[in-house]
Amino acid sequence: MNKYRRVIKVRDESAKDDTEVRVTATGSVSAYVSRAAKVFNELEKSFITITASGNALTKAVTTAEVIKRRVKGLHQITTLTNQDVIDEFEPLEEGLEKVTETRSLACISIKLSKDALDKADAGYQEPLDESLVKEVDEEELMRPRGKGKGEGKSKGKGKSKGKGKGKGKGKGKGKSSAAAAPQQSAWVKQAAVKATTQAWTKQPAKAADKGKGKGKGKGK
């Protein structure tokens, strides 16, 4: 395919429903949570629908899990589908024809509703236990989430003297520092027909430690 160039498609700018939260791989989870807060509070809607496709599926699941842990009593129905996408490639040299390629794209739709949903649906999930939900006010819910930082320092000194056979003298100094780079991980994808979701997070952290040691020994 070195002699072909992929044709860039025009992005779909069609108007979306007020209750839809369309997730992309490059978007921010905090922005989607803020949008959900606006739909539930300002627009006074009883439900939202989170949609995503391709490599944005994981972020859609993460968004749903965060919202469920901020708003009590949300019923959930997850729907997984496949969509055929046709890619076009135009030739870079004369004499060649256009080439098309069809690929299957995974899509997800997560409906979160304050009203009861159909429990017979294969993708239905009951609301989380209230002990797992931490409700916040509207202003805090719409506030972007920040990053956390942690630092730690430790110092230690030690001296020792001893006598024995032999003669020797030595000094040593050591200094080490380590900083663990922030790591992020997303909650795992939903599985099979039940579309079961699990969520886990890792907090970024920094640590630094310093140590010094000196030792002298003489013996005859």
Side-chain angles (χ1 to χ4, degrees), residues 37-136:
K38 182 177 181 180
V39 173
F40 281 131
N41 298 308
E42 292 185 13
L43 302 182
E44 297 182 347
K45 301 292 184 180
S46 62
F47 72 93
I48 61 170
T49 303
I50 303 171
T51 60
S53 61
N55 55 4
L57 265 64
T58 303
K59 186 166 290 186
V61 174
T62 300
T63 301
E65 290 300 320
V66 173
I67 295 173
K68 287 165 59 178
R69 285 162 173 76
R70 294 294 179 267
V71 181
K72 289 184 179 180
L74 290 181
H75 298 261
Q76 175 179 342
I77 285 184
T78 304
T79 305
L80 297 172
T81 58
N82 287 324
Q83 178 182 354
D84 289 336
V85 178
I86 300 177
D87 294 326
E88 293 184 358
F89 298 86
E90 58 183 11
L92 300 176
E93 299 179 2
E94 294 183 1
L96 299 177
E97 298 181 354
K98 280 188 176 182
V99 176
T100 60
E101 182 180 65
T102 303
R103 57 189 174 91
S104 182
L105 189 66
C107 302
I108 192 172
S109 174
I110 304 174
K111 184 175 182 178
L112 299 177
S113 174
K114 293 182 177 180
D115 300 328
L117 298 176
D118 184 10
K119 294 185 178 181
D121 192 289
Y124 174 80
Q125 292 185 38
E126 294 181 349
L128 293 177
D129 188 280
E130 291 188 358
S131 63
L132 300 177
V133 181
K134 180 182 178 182
E135 283 192 319
V136 295

Side-chain angles (χ1 to χ4, degrees), residues 13 21 131 147 220:
E13 298 293 345
V21 179
S131 63
K147 298 181 179 180
K220 290 184 180 181

Side-chain angles (χ1 to χ4, degrees), residues 23 27 35 94 118 164 171-173 196:
V23 177
R35 170 62 185 174
E94 294 183 1
D118 184 10
K171 295 182 179 181
K173 294 184 179 180
T196 305

